Amino acid sequence: MEDCIFCKIIKGEIPSKKIYEDDNVYAFYDINPGAPVHFLVIPKEHIESVNSLNEDNAEIVSHIFKTINKLVSELGIDKNGYRIVNNTGKDGGQTVHHMHFHVLGGRSLAWPPG
Ligand code: AMP
Ligand code: ZN
């Protein structure tokens, strides 16, 4: 997707603080952190949102969660805990239309969010 900022980050056209990448996913720190640790995990394939998941592409979600499992341990937030957030569409507050999972940790988080 030409105008997608996350596709540009994957291609290295926009800088990011990369944490991890493999053939299928890319993880990087959120530019506007909402917690001491706040990173995003995205598929390299441009999938607009959870609404766009189907039988052919949904396996990536398992891979994203396995990646989160690994990274929270490496970043040392697994034991105290963390929150995984996906925002979908207008009411969900999605601002970047390339599906992504936020991971927030490093402090106690209020619930429910606003
Ligand atoms: P959402 O509101 O769920 O669509 O989240 C989009 C997230 O992307 C926000 O938390 C932004 O701070 C983050 N973001 C936007 N541009 C960048 C960027 N260039 N590098 C890192 N994070 C970004
Ligand atoms: Zn994209």
Side-chain angles (χ1 to χ4, degrees), residues 5-6 9 28-32 87 93-96 100 102:
I5 58 169
F6 285 179
I9 282 175
F28 58 108
Y29 286 105
D30 196 292
I31 204 166
N32 185 21
N87 297 325
Q94 184 177 9
T95 60
V96 177
H100 50 280
H102 297 255

Side-chain angles (χ1 to χ4, degrees), residues 31-88:
I31 204 166
N32 185 21
V37 178
H38 183 178
F39 63 94
L40 305 172
V41 186
I42 65 178
K44 285 195 169 173
E45 179 187 355
H46 181 87
I47 297 171
E48 191 168 320
S49 77
V50 169
N51 285 341
S52 312
L53 291 172
N54 56 50
E55 282 298 327
D56 294 329
N57 64 15
E59 220 171 280
I60 193 67
V61 177
S62 165
H63 186 54
I64 286 171
F65 272 70
K66 282 187 271 185
T67 301
I68 291 171
N69 173 291
K70 183 171 104 74
L71 296 181
V72 292
S73 168
E74 287 175 11
L75 295 170
I77 58 170
D78 55 327
K79 295 216 167 45
N80 278 352
Y82 49 90
R83 181 169 296 156
I84 301 169
V85 175
N86 168 262
N87 297 325
T88 298

